Amino acid sequence: MTLSRRHLIAAAAACAALPRAGVAATPRVIGWDDLIPPGVPYAEIIGEGEIDAINDTWLPEFDENATKLNKELHGAYIKMPGYVLPIDMSTAGVTSFIMVPYVGACIHTPPPPANQLVFVDSKTPWPSDQLWDPVWVTGRMRHELQSTTIADIGYGLSADLIEVYEW
């Protein structure tokens, strides 16, 4: 029995419509330095700024490099560590948050530069009793420079998976 070209095309189309089992993308593991564009040193993003030793405050100066984003990360499937600064919370947990590079960022100190902040949204809530734990977040990264009342944020991340960070 020989198959006609029409039968082969129909069979290929039927196979393409089947769900793909076991094909999952492997995320690229990145760190906070990877959010800065290649060739831009961190020292050129954040300046000394105003330091008030009496009131124990610091208002850093950011230059134009603070909003420069790593173009290679737009659309990348990544996994990165950080800390949760909740934005949308319910009894089920946190569904959107700003991921920050260190504990207390944006709360008690001036926020980091925009290219050191990631706005994360997740369909699966992160438990509110684990807010101080460092996390791994896996998902699709995008450039999304946005201003909020808390900080200017350079990246967005749609989380597929959030898990406790273990060293």
Side-chain angles (χ1 to χ4, degrees):
M1 178 171 118
T2 59
L3 293 175
S4 69
R5 180 181 166 109
R6 186 177 51 148
H7 287 111
L8 289 173
I9 292 171
C15 287
L18 293 173
R20 295 182 179 179
V23 179
T26 301
R28 173 180 165 193
V29 177
I30 66 168
W32 291 93
D33 288 345
D34 295 312
L35 300 180
I36 300 170
V40 177
Y42 187 80
E44 291 183 19
I45 292 173
I46 194 166
E48 191 172 302
E50 295 178 27
I51 298 173
D52 183 345
I54 295 171
N55 294 313
D56 193 28
T57 60
W58 172 51
L59 186 58
E61 290 178 0
F62 299 130
D63 67 13
E64 67 277 357
N65 288 327
T67 56
K68 288 183 180 175
L69 307 176
N70 186 341
K71 294 177 183 178
E72 294 174 11
L73 294 177
H74 186 67
Y77 191 64
I78 61 98
K79 177 179 181 177
M80 73 178 294
Y83 292 89
V84 174
L85 178 63
I87 299 297
D88 289 327
M89 239 172 111
S90 70
T91 55
V94 178
T95 53
S96 65
F97 58 91
I98 301 172
M99 188 161 57
V100 298
Y102 51 87
V103 173
C106 299
I107 298 174
H108 302 295
T109 61
N115 61 13
Q116 291 294 284
L117 296 173
V118 180
F119 187 88
V120 178
D121 57 87
S122 174
K123 291 180 181 164
T124 305
W126 180 250
S128 58
D129 63 343
Q130 295 180 330
L131 291 181
W132 295 103
D133 295 336
V135 295
W136 279 110
V137 180
T138 302
R140 187 77 50 199
M141 180 72 85
R142 62 192 179 277
H143 288 150
E144 195 171 89
L145 195 56
Q146 58 182 306
S147 266
T148 69
T149 56
I150 296 172
D152 291 337
I153 303 167
Y155 293 94
L157 181 62
S158 298
D160 291 339
L161 178 65
I162 304 171
E163 54 194 332
V164 173
Y165 176 90
E166 292 186 21
W167 182 254

